[in-house]
Amino acid sequence: MNAIAAPPPGARPAAVRPKSDEPIRVMVVDDSAFIRGILARWISEEPDLTLIASHPNGRRAVDDVIRSQPDVAILDIEMPEMDGLQALPLILEKRPGTAVIMASTLTRRGAEVSIRALTLGAADYVPKPDSTNGLLAAADFRHDLISKVRSLGAGVRRGKSFRTPAPATARQSPGTSAPTTARAAAIPAAAKPKVRLRPASMSAVRALAIGSSTGGPQALTRFFTDAGSALTTIPVFVTQHMPPTFTTILAEHIAKASGRPAAEGIDGEPVRPGHIYVAPGGKHMLVAKSNGTTVIKLSDAPPVNFCKPAVDPMFQSIADIYGSATLALVLTGMGSDGAKGATIIADGGGAVIAQDEASSVVWGMPGATAEVGACSEILPITEIGPRVVRRISGGRS
């Protein structure tokens, strides 16, 4: 038998990508032994997941990440010795391609740190229940966490990158696109047989509606950095799957990226051009007519597609008001929320652009929208901003 040569002293072991049919390898990092135990039990009860490491602080996780080779790391934010925000870049440096899910509390600080972590390379976040007793009873939290671990872990197995490309230092002029591969390559080969594109809408754009979920904050930041200066003549409506407080912070980040007024929608407020309205966590955001004026309407109706806020009801209400003058974007996210609403927009003569698979953290929502035939284009996130600028300035393609 041939001997296996040992790596040189100090050399970093090569990353080994497990086979696609092997269980997804999960690392849990939390200073609470109770929480580590609960998460370990949940993971062990899923046949396609396996717990390969459990650590009480970020330092131990960083020291172990090369040996344990996780596909997904669940990383607490508040920990002694080294917190999650400090550990995140070190984990990604040592084990590039790891999908890191930040676990935070439903506080303003938790939301701020979670969204900042997304800009530093975290793939997603999960808001933890307020107490350990709440954790035990939180079926929704367990479902959300396991779904994200499974979906992101599958992306790791396919070699998915979870970093959204940074905006170009020089803003492109309206009507130009970032240099990319040929447009045909924007539609993944595996999806091409299922995708039927519609002709581009000939109507001038009077409203922009955006839906997103997993990976959405990163994609939204990129889009609004690219297109924000052109969004002066139309209102923009955003539904991102997020809980309360998190949507407040997201709106602040969008305002900074776009240079436009951005805030959570308020029930009854008049819609104004040049303003960006973000659906508040725990409410559906719609638009409606009141005494001849278009206003924001918040709804406490049940979740749609297991989401609240949800994209579908927002898209439908915008289609009812703006008709063929609606331009909709369906960005990265798990599930299929937005596909039905996008179909209504497209059937009414509006235009729908979906983010492509290669640049999406998860090609669930945009993929579902593409497969139902609602899209006029499927583009990388780097091209969506310039394309929207062109559409608003009068271009049709």
mmCIF file of all heavy atoms in Angstrom, residues 51 131 211 217 225 281 305 349-350 360:
data_model
loop_
_atom_site.group_PDB
_atom_site.id
_atom_site.type_symbol
_atom_site.label_atom_id
_atom_site.label_comp_id
_atom_site.label_asym_id
_atom_site.label_seq_id
_atom_site.Cartn_x
_atom_site.Cartn_y
_atom_site.Cartn_z
ATOM 1 N N LEU A 51 -24.301 16.609 13.187
ATOM 2 C CA LEU A 51 -23.542 17.557 14.009
ATOM 3 C C LEU A 51 -22.098 17.088 14.066
ATOM 4 O O LEU A 51 -21.815 15.999 14.557
ATOM 5 C CB LEU A 51 -24.141 17.633 15.414
ATOM 6 C CG LEU A 51 -23.449 18.634 16.348
ATOM 7 C CD1 LEU A 51 -23.805 20.060 15.972
ATOM 8 C CD2 LEU A 51 -23.830 18.360 17.809
ATOM 9 N N SER A 131 -36.330 33.547 25.218
ATOM 10 C CA SER A 131 -35.905 32.805 26.404
ATOM 11 C C SER A 131 -35.660 31.352 26.048
ATOM 12 O O SER A 131 -36.052 30.874 24.981
ATOM 13 C CB SER A 131 -36.985 32.883 27.496
ATOM 14 O OG SER A 131 -38.158 32.196 27.056
ATOM 15 N N GLY A 211 -39.304 41.852 -4.135
ATOM 16 C CA GLY A 211 -39.474 40.802 -3.137
ATOM 17 C C GLY A 211 -38.194 40.016 -2.967
ATOM 18 O O GLY A 211 -37.503 39.718 -3.952
ATOM 19 N N PRO A 217 -30.887 40.892 1.941
ATOM 20 C CA PRO A 217 -30.232 42.131 2.355
ATOM 21 C C PRO A 217 -28.977 42.449 1.541
ATOM 22 O O PRO A 217 -28.733 43.600 1.186
ATOM 23 C CB PRO A 217 -29.897 41.865 3.832
ATOM 24 C CG PRO A 217 -30.974 40.925 4.271
ATOM 25 C CD PRO A 217 -31.201 40.021 3.098
ATOM 26 N N THR A 225 -27.449 50.430 -4.285
ATOM 27 C CA THR A 225 -26.213 51.163 -4.543
ATOM 28 C C THR A 225 -26.074 51.463 -6.024
ATOM 29 O O THR A 225 -25.666 52.557 -6.426
ATOM 30 C CB THR A 225 -25.000 50.353 -4.046
ATOM 31 O OG1 THR A 225 -25.134 50.103 -2.650
ATOM 32 C CG2 THR A 225 -23.702 51.109 -4.287
ATOM 33 N N GLY A 281 -41.809 44.090 9.664
ATOM 34 C CA GLY A 281 -41.910 42.711 10.117
ATOM 35 C C GLY A 281 -43.222 42.450 10.838
ATOM 36 O O GLY A 281 -43.677 43.269 11.639
ATOM 37 N N ASN A 305 -47.837 31.962 2.169
ATOM 38 C CA ASN A 305 -46.620 31.184 1.871
ATOM 39 C C ASN A 305 -45.748 31.041 3.119
ATOM 40 O O ASN A 305 -44.528 31.057 3.042
ATOM 41 C CB ASN A 305 -45.813 31.837 0.740
ATOM 42 C CG ASN A 305 -46.598 31.979 -0.539
ATOM 43 O OD1 ASN A 305 -47.279 31.055 -0.959
ATOM 44 N ND2 ASN A 305 -46.529 33.151 -1.152
ATOM 45 N N GLY A 349 -49.648 43.129 -17.960
ATOM 46 C CA GLY A 349 -48.831 43.929 -18.864
ATOM 47 C C GLY A 349 -47.587 44.513 -18.247
ATOM 48 O O GLY A 349 -46.801 45.185 -18.936
ATOM 49 N N GLY A 350 -47.363 44.288 -16.941
ATOM 50 C CA GLY A 350 -46.150 44.770 -16.290
ATOM 51 C C GLY A 350 -44.958 43.886 -16.607
ATOM 52 O O GLY A 350 -45.080 42.851 -17.273
ATOM 53 N N SER A 360 -27.694 34.192 -6.897
ATOM 54 C CA SER A 360 -28.623 34.071 -5.767
ATOM 55 C C SER A 360 -28.028 33.177 -4.679
ATOM 56 O O SER A 360 -27.421 32.153 -4.977
ATOM 57 C CB SER A 360 -29.953 33.459 -6.229
ATOM 58 O OG SER A 360 -30.630 34.290 -7.134
#
